[in-house]
mmCIF file with all atom_site columns, all heavy atoms in Angstrom:
data_model
loop_
_atom_site.group_PDB
_atom_site.id
_atom_site.type_symbol
_atom_site.label_atom_id
_atom_site.label_alt_id
_atom_site.label_comp_id
_atom_site.label_asym_id
_atom_site.label_entity_id
_atom_site.label_seq_id
_atom_site.pdbx_PDB_ins_code
_atom_site.Cartn_x
_atom_site.Cartn_y
_atom_site.Cartn_z
_atom_site.occupancy
_atom_site.B_iso_or_equiv
_atom_site.pdbx_formal_charge
_atom_site.auth_seq_id
_atom_site.auth_comp_id
_atom_site.auth_asym_id
_atom_site.auth_atom_id
_atom_site.pdbx_PDB_model_num
ATOM 1   N N   . TYR A 1 425 ? 133.858 137.894 131.642 1.00 0.00 ? 425 TYR A N   1
ATOM 2   C CA  . TYR A 1 425 ? 135.283 137.493 131.369 1.00 0.00 ? 425 TYR A CA  1
ATOM 3   C C   . TYR A 1 425 ? 136.054 137.276 132.636 1.00 0.00 ? 425 TYR A C   1
ATOM 4   O O   . TYR A 1 425 ? 135.921 137.829 133.710 1.00 0.00 ? 425 TYR A O   1
ATOM 5   C CB  . TYR A 1 425 ? 135.865 138.483 130.449 1.00 0.00 ? 425 TYR A CB  1
ATOM 6   C CG  . TYR A 1 425 ? 135.222 138.647 129.168 1.00 0.00 ? 425 TYR A CG  1
ATOM 7   C CD1 . TYR A 1 425 ? 134.856 139.965 128.673 1.00 0.00 ? 425 TYR A CD1 1
ATOM 8   C CD2 . TYR A 1 425 ? 134.869 137.612 128.341 1.00 0.00 ? 425 TYR A CD2 1
ATOM 9   C CE1 . TYR A 1 425 ? 134.139 140.033 127.453 1.00 0.00 ? 425 TYR A CE1 1
ATOM 10  C CE2 . TYR A 1 425 ? 134.208 137.651 127.187 1.00 0.00 ? 425 TYR A CE2 1
ATOM 11  C CZ  . TYR A 1 425 ? 133.903 138.994 126.713 1.00 0.00 ? 425 TYR A CZ  1
ATOM 12  O OH  . TYR A 1 425 ? 133.199 139.050 125.511 1.00 0.00 ? 425 TYR A OH  1
ATOM 13  N N   . ALA A 1 426 ? 137.027 136.299 132.496 1.00 0.00 ? 426 ALA A N   1
ATOM 14  C CA  . ALA A 1 426 ? 137.852 136.011 133.575 1.00 0.00 ? 426 ALA A CA  1
ATOM 15  C C   . ALA A 1 426 ? 138.607 137.242 134.261 1.00 0.00 ? 426 ALA A C   1
ATOM 16  O O   . ALA A 1 426 ? 138.621 137.329 135.533 1.00 0.00 ? 426 ALA A O   1
ATOM 17  C CB  . ALA A 1 426 ? 138.976 134.973 133.204 1.00 0.00 ? 426 ALA A CB  1
ATOM 18  N N   . TYR A 1 427 ? 138.999 138.221 133.522 1.00 0.00 ? 427 TYR A N   1
ATOM 19  C CA  . TYR A 1 427 ? 139.721 139.397 134.066 1.00 0.00 ? 427 TYR A CA  1
ATOM 20  C C   . TYR A 1 427 ? 138.725 140.287 134.844 1.00 0.00 ? 427 TYR A C   1
ATOM 21  O O   . TYR A 1 427 ? 139.323 141.093 135.635 1.00 0.00 ? 427 TYR A O   1
ATOM 22  C CB  . TYR A 1 427 ? 140.401 140.219 132.916 1.00 0.00 ? 427 TYR A CB  1
ATOM 23  C CG  . TYR A 1 427 ? 139.458 140.836 131.849 1.00 0.00 ? 427 TYR A CG  1
ATOM 24  C CD1 . TYR A 1 427 ? 138.657 141.886 132.115 1.00 0.00 ? 427 TYR A CD1 1
ATOM 25  C CD2 . TYR A 1 427 ? 139.440 140.250 130.580 1.00 0.00 ? 427 TYR A CD2 1
ATOM 26  C CE1 . TYR A 1 427 ? 137.917 142.456 131.117 1.00 0.00 ? 427 TYR A CE1 1
ATOM 27  C CE2 . TYR A 1 427 ? 138.694 140.719 129.625 1.00 0.00 ? 427 TYR A CE2 1
ATOM 28  C CZ  . TYR A 1 427 ? 137.869 141.842 129.864 1.00 0.00 ? 427 TYR A CZ  1
ATOM 29  O OH  . TYR A 1 427 ? 137.045 142.399 128.885 1.00 0.00 ? 427 TYR A OH  1
ATOM 30  N N   . GLU A 1 428 ? 137.485 140.110 134.776 1.00 0.00 ? 428 GLU A N   1
ATOM 31  C CA  . GLU A 1 428 ? 136.540 140.955 135.583 1.00 0.00 ? 428 GLU A CA  1
ATOM 32  C C   . GLU A 1 428 ? 135.783 139.993 136.616 1.00 0.00 ? 428 GLU A C   1
ATOM 33  O O   . GLU A 1 428 ? 134.763 140.529 137.145 1.00 0.00 ? 428 GLU A O   1
ATOM 34  C CB  . GLU A 1 428 ? 135.561 141.615 134.599 1.00 0.00 ? 428 GLU A CB  1
ATOM 35  C CG  . GLU A 1 428 ? 134.821 140.745 133.704 1.00 0.00 ? 428 GLU A CG  1
ATOM 36  C CD  . GLU A 1 428 ? 133.896 141.472 132.677 1.00 0.00 ? 428 GLU A CD  1
ATOM 37  O OE1 . GLU A 1 428 ? 133.959 142.744 132.691 1.00 0.00 ? 428 GLU A OE1 1
ATOM 38  O OE2 . GLU A 1 428 ? 133.327 140.812 131.872 1.00 0.00 ? 428 GLU A OE2 1
ATOM 39  N N   . ARG A 1 429 ? 136.230 138.763 136.855 1.00 0.00 ? 429 ARG A N   1
ATOM 40  C CA  . ARG A 1 429 ? 135.543 137.939 137.798 1.00 0.00 ? 429 ARG A CA  1
ATOM 41  C C   . ARG A 1 429 ? 136.405 137.694 139.032 1.00 0.00 ? 429 ARG A C   1
ATOM 42  O O   . ARG A 1 429 ? 137.563 138.128 139.076 1.00 0.00 ? 429 ARG A O   1
ATOM 43  C CB  . ARG A 1 429 ? 135.223 136.653 137.037 1.00 0.00 ? 429 ARG A CB  1
ATOM 44  C CG  . ARG A 1 429 ? 134.138 136.827 135.994 1.00 0.00 ? 429 ARG A CG  1
ATOM 45  C CD  . ARG A 1 429 ? 133.751 135.522 135.301 1.00 0.00 ? 429 ARG A CD  1
ATOM 46  N NE  . ARG A 1 429 ? 133.176 134.706 136.214 1.00 0.00 ? 429 ARG A NE  1
ATOM 47  C CZ  . ARG A 1 429 ? 131.900 134.634 136.728 1.00 0.00 ? 429 ARG A CZ  1
ATOM 48  N NH1 . ARG A 1 429 ? 131.113 135.563 136.253 1.00 0.00 ? 429 ARG A NH1 1
ATOM 49  N NH2 . ARG A 1 429 ? 131.398 133.702 137.566 1.00 0.00 ? 429 ARG A NH2 1
ATOM 50  N N   . GLN A 1 430 ? 135.851 136.896 139.877 1.00 0.00 ? 430 GLN A N   1
ATOM 51  C CA  . GLN A 1 430 ? 136.555 136.673 141.074 1.00 0.00 ? 430 GLN A CA  1
ATOM 52  C C   . GLN A 1 430 ? 137.696 135.572 140.869 1.00 0.00 ? 430 GLN A C   1
ATOM 53  O O   . GLN A 1 430 ? 137.576 134.602 140.163 1.00 0.00 ? 430 GLN A O   1
ATOM 54  C CB  . GLN A 1 430 ? 135.649 135.972 142.122 1.00 0.00 ? 430 GLN A CB  1
ATOM 55  C CG  . GLN A 1 430 ? 136.220 135.759 143.498 1.00 0.00 ? 430 GLN A CG  1
ATOM 56  C CD  . GLN A 1 430 ? 135.219 135.264 144.518 1.00 0.00 ? 430 GLN A CD  1
ATOM 57  O OE1 . GLN A 1 430 ? 134.271 134.531 144.242 1.00 0.00 ? 430 GLN A OE1 1
ATOM 58  N NE2 . GLN A 1 430 ? 135.407 135.700 145.857 1.00 0.00 ? 430 GLN A NE2 1
ATOM 59  N N   . PHE A 1 431 ? 138.858 135.874 141.549 1.00 0.00 ? 431 PHE A N   1
ATOM 60  C CA  . PHE A 1 431 ? 140.008 135.023 141.454 1.00 0.00 ? 431 PHE A CA  1
ATOM 61  C C   . PHE A 1 431 ? 140.029 134.043 142.671 1.00 0.00 ? 431 PHE A C   1
ATOM 62  O O   . PHE A 1 431 ? 139.518 134.435 143.770 1.00 0.00 ? 431 PHE A O   1
ATOM 63  C CB  . PHE A 1 431 ? 141.301 135.809 141.400 1.00 0.00 ? 431 PHE A CB  1
ATOM 64  C CG  . PHE A 1 431 ? 141.635 136.396 140.055 1.00 0.00 ? 431 PHE A CG  1
ATOM 65  C CD1 . PHE A 1 431 ? 140.936 137.447 139.507 1.00 0.00 ? 431 PHE A CD1 1
ATOM 66  C CD2 . PHE A 1 431 ? 142.775 135.966 139.406 1.00 0.00 ? 431 PHE A CD2 1
ATOM 67  C CE1 . PHE A 1 431 ? 141.237 137.947 138.267 1.00 0.00 ? 431 PHE A CE1 1
ATOM 68  C CE2 . PHE A 1 431 ? 143.105 136.451 138.182 1.00 0.00 ? 431 PHE A CE2 1
ATOM 69  C CZ  . PHE A 1 431 ? 142.320 137.464 137.529 1.00 0.00 ? 431 PHE A CZ  1
ATOM 70  N N   . VAL A 1 432 ? 140.593 132.895 142.496 1.00 0.00 ? 432 VAL A N   1
ATOM 71  C CA  . VAL A 1 432 ? 140.917 132.069 143.572 1.00 0.00 ? 432 VAL A CA  1
ATOM 72  C C   . VAL A 1 432 ? 142.373 132.148 143.906 1.00 0.00 ? 432 VAL A C   1
ATOM 73  O O   . VAL A 1 432 ? 143.180 132.504 142.976 1.00 0.00 ? 432 VAL A O   1
ATOM 74  C CB  . VAL A 1 432 ? 140.550 130.587 143.369 1.00 0.00 ? 432 VAL A CB  1
ATOM 75  C CG1 . VAL A 1 432 ? 139.054 130.423 143.051 1.00 0.00 ? 432 VAL A CG1 1
ATOM 76  C CG2 . VAL A 1 432 ? 141.349 129.988 142.194 1.00 0.00 ? 432 VAL A CG2 1
ATOM 77  N N   . HIS A 1 433 ? 142.805 131.868 145.133 1.00 0.00 ? 433 HIS A N   1
ATOM 78  C CA  . HIS A 1 433 ? 144.153 131.962 145.624 1.00 0.00 ? 433 HIS A CA  1
ATOM 79  C C   . HIS A 1 433 ? 144.515 130.545 146.042 1.00 0.00 ? 433 HIS A C   1
ATOM 80  O O   . HIS A 1 433 ? 143.781 129.942 146.858 1.00 0.00 ? 433 HIS A O   1
ATOM 81  C CB  . HIS A 1 433 ? 144.418 132.966 146.641 1.00 0.00 ? 433 HIS A CB  1
ATOM 82  C CG  . HIS A 1 433 ? 145.815 132.920 147.189 1.00 0.00 ? 433 HIS A CG  1
ATOM 83  N ND1 . HIS A 1 433 ? 146.134 132.329 148.398 1.00 0.00 ? 433 HIS A ND1 1
ATOM 84  C CD2 . HIS A 1 433 ? 146.983 133.492 146.762 1.00 0.00 ? 433 HIS A CD2 1
ATOM 85  C CE1 . HIS A 1 433 ? 147.418 132.392 148.615 1.00 0.00 ? 433 HIS A CE1 1
ATOM 86  N NE2 . HIS A 1 433 ? 147.904 133.177 147.638 1.00 0.00 ? 433 HIS A NE2 1
ATOM 87  N N   . LEU A 1 434 ? 145.704 129.989 145.599 1.00 0.00 ? 434 LEU A N   1
ATOM 88  C CA  . LEU A 1 434 ? 146.095 128.732 146.113 1.00 0.00 ? 434 LEU A CA  1
ATOM 89  C C   . LEU A 1 434 ? 147.569 128.661 146.486 1.00 0.00 ? 434 LEU A C   1
ATOM 90  O O   . LEU A 1 434 ? 148.402 129.525 145.798 1.00 0.00 ? 434 LEU A O   1
ATOM 91  C CB  . LEU A 1 434 ? 145.995 127.705 144.910 1.00 0.00 ? 434 LEU A CB  1
ATOM 92  C CG  . LEU A 1 434 ? 144.482 127.407 144.584 1.00 0.00 ? 434 LEU A CG  1
ATOM 93  C CD1 . LEU A 1 434 ? 144.422 126.708 143.225 1.00 0.00 ? 434 LEU A CD1 1
ATOM 94  C CD2 . LEU A 1 434 ? 143.920 126.483 145.654 1.00 0.00 ? 434 LEU A CD2 1
ATOM 95  N N   . ASP A 1 435 ? 147.928 127.984 147.514 1.00 0.00 ? 435 ASP A N   1
ATOM 96  C CA  . ASP A 1 435 ? 149.353 127.790 147.928 1.00 0.00 ? 435 ASP A CA  1
ATOM 97  C C   . ASP A 1 435 ? 149.857 126.562 146.994 1.00 0.00 ? 435 ASP A C   1
ATOM 98  O O   . ASP A 1 435 ? 149.415 125.418 147.337 1.00 0.00 ? 435 ASP A O   1
ATOM 99  C CB  . ASP A 1 435 ? 149.385 127.429 149.305 1.00 0.00 ? 435 ASP A CB  1
ATOM 100 C CG  . ASP A 1 435 ? 150.813 127.215 149.812 1.00 0.00 ? 435 ASP A CG  1
ATOM 101 O OD1 . ASP A 1 435 ? 151.664 126.791 149.122 1.00 0.00 ? 435 ASP A OD1 1
ATOM 102 O OD2 . ASP A 1 435 ? 151.062 127.517 150.978 1.00 0.00 ? 435 ASP A OD2 1
ATOM 103 N N   . MET A 1 436 ? 150.728 126.813 146.128 1.00 0.00 ? 436 MET A N   1
ATOM 104 C CA  . MET A 1 436 ? 151.210 125.686 145.240 1.00 0.00 ? 436 MET A CA  1
ATOM 105 C C   . MET A 1 436 ? 152.014 124.632 146.082 1.00 0.00 ? 436 MET A C   1
ATOM 106 O O   . MET A 1 436 ? 152.011 123.455 145.648 1.00 0.00 ? 436 MET A O   1
ATOM 107 C CB  . MET A 1 436 ? 151.955 126.227 144.090 1.00 0.00 ? 436 MET A CB  1
ATOM 108 C CG  . MET A 1 436 ? 151.052 126.853 143.014 1.00 0.00 ? 436 MET A CG  1
ATOM 109 S SD  . MET A 1 436 ? 151.871 127.217 141.461 1.00 0.00 ? 436 MET A SD  1
ATOM 110 C CE  . MET A 1 436 ? 152.669 128.807 141.804 1.00 0.00 ? 436 MET A CE  1
ATOM 111 N N   . ASN A 1 437 ? 152.710 125.092 147.029 1.00 0.00 ? 437 ASN A N   1
ATOM 112 C CA  . ASN A 1 437 ? 153.469 124.033 147.852 1.00 0.00 ? 437 ASN A CA  1
ATOM 113 C C   . ASN A 1 437 ? 152.509 123.124 148.488 1.00 0.00 ? 437 ASN A C   1
ATOM 114 O O   . ASN A 1 437 ? 152.792 121.917 148.627 1.00 0.00 ? 437 ASN A O   1
ATOM 115 C CB  . ASN A 1 437 ? 154.348 124.783 148.913 1.00 0.00 ? 437 ASN A CB  1
ATOM 116 C CG  . ASN A 1 437 ? 155.499 125.420 148.299 1.00 0.00 ? 437 ASN A CG  1
ATOM 117 O OD1 . ASN A 1 437 ? 156.188 124.835 147.384 1.00 0.00 ? 437 ASN A OD1 1
ATOM 118 N ND2 . ASN A 1 437 ? 155.917 126.573 148.764 1.00 0.00 ? 437 ASN A ND2 1
ATOM 119 N N   . GLN A 1 438 ? 151.330 123.594 148.865 1.00 0.00 ? 438 GLN A N   1
ATOM 120 C CA  . GLN A 1 438 ? 150.308 122.622 149.500 1.00 0.00 ? 438 GLN A CA  1
ATOM 121 C C   . GLN A 1 438 ? 149.820 121.690 148.339 1.00 0.00 ? 438 GLN A C   1
ATOM 122 O O   . GLN A 1 438 ? 149.537 120.521 148.649 1.00 0.00 ? 438 GLN A O   1
ATOM 123 C CB  . GLN A 1 438 ? 149.184 123.427 150.064 1.00 0.00 ? 438 GLN A CB  1
ATOM 124 C CG  . GLN A 1 438 ? 149.538 124.178 151.393 1.00 0.00 ? 438 GLN A CG  1
ATOM 125 C CD  . GLN A 1 438 ? 148.305 124.874 151.989 1.00 0.00 ? 438 GLN A CD  1
ATOM 126 O OE1 . GLN A 1 438 ? 147.172 124.714 151.547 1.00 0.00 ? 438 GLN A OE1 1
ATOM 127 N NE2 . GLN A 1 438 ? 148.518 125.571 153.140 1.00 0.00 ? 438 GLN A NE2 1
ATOM 128 N N   . LEU A 1 439 ? 149.707 122.207 147.218 1.00 0.00 ? 439 LEU A N   1
ATOM 129 C CA  . LEU A 1 439 ? 149.211 121.306 146.131 1.00 0.00 ? 439 LEU A CA  1
ATOM 130 C C   . LEU A 1 439 ? 150.224 120.204 145.765 1.00 0.00 ? 439 LEU A C   1
ATOM 131 O O   . LEU A 1 439 ? 149.905 119.078 145.665 1.00 0.00 ? 439 LEU A O   1
ATOM 132 C CB  . LEU A 1 439 ? 149.002 122.183 144.856 1.00 0.00 ? 439 LEU A CB  1
ATOM 133 C CG  . LEU A 1 439 ? 147.894 123.202 144.904 1.00 0.00 ? 439 LEU A CG  1
ATOM 134 C CD1 . LEU A 1 439 ? 147.789 123.943 143.653 1.00 0.00 ? 439 LEU A CD1 1
ATOM 135 C CD2 . LEU A 1 439 ? 146.542 122.618 145.257 1.00 0.00 ? 439 LEU A CD2 1
ATOM 136 N N   . TRP A 1 440 ? 151.569 120.555 145.801 1.00 0.00 ? 440 TRP A N   1
ATOM 137 C CA  . TRP A 1 440 ? 152.570 119.591 145.518 1.00 0.00 ? 440 TRP A CA  1
ATOM 138 C C   . TRP A 1 440 ? 152.645 118.530 146.646 1.00 0.00 ? 440 TRP A C   1
ATOM 139 O O   . TRP A 1 440 ? 152.903 117.355 146.346 1.00 0.00 ? 440 TRP A O   1
ATOM 140 C CB  . TRP A 1 440 ? 153.933 120.175 145.406 1.00 0.00 ? 440 TRP A CB  1
ATOM 141 C CG  . TRP A 1 440 ? 154.058 121.435 144.529 1.00 0.00 ? 440 TRP A CG  1
ATOM 142 C CD1 . TRP A 1 440 ? 154.871 122.495 144.861 1.00 0.00 ? 440 TRP A CD1 1
ATOM 143 C CD2 . TRP A 1 440 ? 153.495 121.713 143.300 1.00 0.00 ? 440 TRP A CD2 1
ATOM 144 N NE1 . TRP A 1 440 ? 154.803 123.383 143.895 1.00 0.00 ? 440 TRP A NE1 1
ATOM 145 C CE2 . TRP A 1 440 ? 153.960 122.958 142.806 1.00 0.00 ? 440 TRP A CE2 1
ATOM 146 C CE3 . TRP A 1 440 ? 152.568 120.971 142.444 1.00 0.00 ? 440 TRP A CE3 1
ATOM 147 C CZ2 . TRP A 1 440 ? 153.554 123.563 141.723 1.00 0.00 ? 440 TRP A CZ2 1
ATOM 148 C CZ3 . TRP A 1 440 ? 152.255 121.536 141.198 1.00 0.00 ? 440 TRP A CZ3 1
ATOM 149 C CH2 . TRP A 1 440 ? 152.725 122.826 140.876 1.00 0.00 ? 440 TRP A CH2 1
ATOM 150 N N   . ASN A 1 441 ? 152.248 118.935 147.851 1.00 0.00 ? 441 ASN A N   1
ATOM 151 C CA  . ASN A 1 441 ? 152.362 118.027 149.022 1.00 0.00 ? 441 ASN A CA  1
ATOM 152 C C   . ASN A 1 441 ? 151.077 117.391 149.427 1.00 0.00 ? 441 ASN A C   1
ATOM 153 O O   . ASN A 1 441 ? 150.981 116.757 150.541 1.00 0.00 ? 441 ASN A O   1
ATOM 154 C CB  . ASN A 1 441 ? 152.962 118.847 150.214 1.00 0.00 ? 441 ASN A CB  1
ATOM 155 C CG  . ASN A 1 441 ? 154.392 119.318 150.028 1.00 0.00 ? 441 ASN A CG  1
ATOM 156 O OD1 . ASN A 1 441 ? 155.210 118.492 149.440 1.00 0.00 ? 441 ASN A OD1 1
ATOM 157 N ND2 . ASN A 1 441 ? 154.698 120.548 150.326 1.00 0.00 ? 441 ASN A ND2 1
ATOM 158 N N   . GLU A 1 442 ? 150.095 117.503 148.586 1.00 0.00 ? 442 GLU A N   1
ATOM 159 C CA  . GLU A 1 442 ? 148.793 116.730 148.809 1.00 0.00 ? 442 GLU A CA  1
ATOM 160 C C   . GLU A 1 442 ? 149.065 115.279 149.038 1.00 0.00 ? 442 GLU A C   1
ATOM 161 O O   . GLU A 1 442 ? 149.663 114.666 148.291 1.00 0.00 ? 442 GLU A O   1
ATOM 162 C CB  . GLU A 1 442 ? 147.844 117.018 147.658 1.00 0.00 ? 442 GLU A CB  1
ATOM 163 C CG  . GLU A 1 442 ? 146.510 116.227 147.770 1.00 0.00 ? 442 GLU A CG  1
ATOM 164 C CD  . GLU A 1 442 ? 145.633 116.904 148.718 1.00 0.00 ? 442 GLU A CD  1
ATOM 165 O OE1 . GLU A 1 442 ? 145.719 118.072 149.017 1.00 0.00 ? 442 GLU A OE1 1
ATOM 166 O OE2 . GLU A 1 442 ? 144.626 116.201 149.140 1.00 0.00 ? 442 GLU A OE2 1
ATOM 167 N N   . PRO A 1 443 ? 148.551 114.776 150.130 1.00 0.00 ? 443 PRO A N   1
ATOM 168 C CA  . PRO A 1 443 ? 148.726 113.286 150.446 1.00 0.00 ? 443 PRO A CA  1
ATOM 169 C C   . PRO A 1 443 ? 148.062 112.455 149.413 1.00 0.00 ? 443 PRO A C   1
ATOM 170 O O   . PRO A 1 443 ? 146.898 112.754 148.990 1.00 0.00 ? 443 PRO A O   1
ATOM 171 C CB  . PRO A 1 443 ? 148.133 113.151 151.862 1.00 0.00 ? 443 PRO A CB  1
ATOM 172 C CG  . PRO A 1 443 ? 148.038 114.507 152.507 1.00 0.00 ? 443 PRO A CG  1
ATOM 173 C CD  . PRO A 1 443 ? 147.877 115.446 151.280 1.00 0.00 ? 443 PRO A CD  1
#
Side-chain angles (χ1 to χ4, degrees):
Y425 299 129
Y427 61 77
E428 56 187 358
R429 293 182 61 80
Q430 186 174 35
F431 281 69
V432 300
H433 174 265
L434 291 163
D435 181 332
M436 287 191 277
N437 285 320
Q438 289 185 4
L439 298 178
W440 313 141
N441 293 318
E442 177 75 18

